[in-house]
Amino acid sequence: DSGVTQTPKHLITATGQRVTLRCSPRSGDLSVYWYQQSLDQGLQFLIQYYNGEERAKGNILERFSAQQFPDLHSELNLSSLELGDSALYFCASRAREGADNEQFFGPGTRLTVL
Amino acid sequence: GNSVTQMEGPVTLSEEAFLTINCTYTATGYPSLFWYVQYPGEGLQLLLKATKADDKGSNKGFEATYRKETTSFHLEKGSVQVSDSAVYFCALTVTGGFKTIFGAGTRLFVKA
């Protein structure tokens, strides 16, 4: 158990809909990262927050948005869903900035868009 | 820019065989290097790391040495087990950087 929690575990929805994925980082971790993992296993970095502020952006679509709240939990909002958005979405947290510090991953949310 | 290249899979081995998964990197500055493992149905977890040149990371029988001269961080294990079947990701973080760059992942199958 990494200490990072994600809800829901599974989500099935239809094209055009909007969903919200939730992540709670490890206690005390200020950084939250979101990743998308496609069926062919590639891991794509979406966005990072640090103590409530957006810190880095990756290949995040305009239909996707995220935020980190004062209690440090984060939400990833996916709208106008398409079939291609079906994937595993992982959240990770890190104790502090510094290149030698690893990330701790949650168990993921499996999104299926029908 | 910063990037990580790792060998394509899947890699299929018999139990007790020797494992090598190659990983090379391109980075500005002085990166820290990581191997993460993803078991079926789970999130990634850190397997080992090395934060400076010539450091060797090790865990659960796996080893990798940070080779600055060849910009490599190859993962090795002397005798794999069926339970090692997973996807392995090589990754780097550059000093002062906020992002971790992941390789594409290598799937390992170990047969009994």
Side-chain angles (χ1 to χ4, degrees):
Chain A
D1 184 355
S2 66
V4 178
T5 60
Q6 289 187 249
T7 56
K9 193 171 178 62
H10 300 280
L11 198 50
I12 301 174
T13 188
T15 54
Q17 295 300 303
R18 172 188 170 95
V19 298
T20 297
L21 313 183
R22 181 186 170 103
C23 167
S24 293
R26 292 188 323 156
S27 177
D29 286 0
L30 299 178
S31 281
V32 169
Y33 301 76
W34 284 99
Y35 295 89
Q36 179 191 58
Q37 185 175 39
S38 57
L39 286 176
D40 65 356
Q41 89 196 17
L43 198 66
Q44 296 293 323
F45 168 70
L46 296 178
I47 197 164
Q48 182 213 351
Y49 282 82
Y50 179 82
N51 202 20
E53 300 290 326
E54 181 182 306
R55 181 61 68 92
K57 221 166 186 175
N59 301 322
I60 188 166
L61 299 172
E62 284 192 12
R63 300 184 285 110
F64 297 0
S65 65
Q67 55 183 325
Q68 187 180 28
F69 295 87
D71 67 352
L72 300 178
H73 91 272
S74 178
E75 293 181 356
L76 179 67
N77 300 297
L78 315 176
S79 61
S80 302
L81 285 167
E82 302 175 358
L83 295 177
D85 298 328
S86 295
L88 270 169
Y89 291 84
F90 287 105
C91 161
S93 72
R94 200 159 85 163
R96 60 187 187 280
E97 299 307 292
D100 59 341
N101 296 311
E102 66 267 30
Q103 295 182 25
F104 293 85
F105 282 77
T109 293
R110 181 174 293 281
L111 173 65
T112 302
V113 182
L114 301 176
Chain B
N2 302 316
S3 67
V4 174
T5 303
Q6 58 182 107
M7 64 188 286
E8 286 190 27
V11 174
T12 303
L13 296 173
S14 297
E15 209 165 20
E16 299 184 4
F18 185 87
L19 168 70
T20 299
I21 300 178
N22 290 336
C23 171
T24 57
Y25 67 89
T26 303
T28 54
Y30 303 97
S32 291
L33 302 175
F34 305 84
W35 277 102
Y36 286 84
V37 58
Q38 184 179 25
Y39 298 105
E42 298 183 11
L44 281 71
Q45 56 185 273
L46 179 70
L47 180 59
L48 53 85
K49 69 178 182 182
T51 59
K52 59 183 188 296
D54 300 325
D55 269 1
K56 177 186 283 189
S58 61
N59 185 27
K60 299 181 182 180
F62 291 89
E63 293 183 340
T65 301
Y66 188 140
R67 302 282 188 202
K68 189 177 176 185
E69 63 276 11
T70 54
T71 62
S72 65
F73 192 54
H74 303 321
L75 183 67
E76 296 182 337
K77 186 176 186 183
S79 176
V80 294
Q81 306 300 312
V82 172
S83 57
D84 294 326
S85 298
V87 180
Y88 293 82
F89 291 89
C90 184
L92 69 82
T93 306
V94 177
T95 302
F98 303 113
K99 292 194 305 183
T100 297
I101 309 298
F102 286 88
T106 302
R107 185 177 296 276
L108 171 66
F109 292 105
V110 180
K111 303 180 297 183

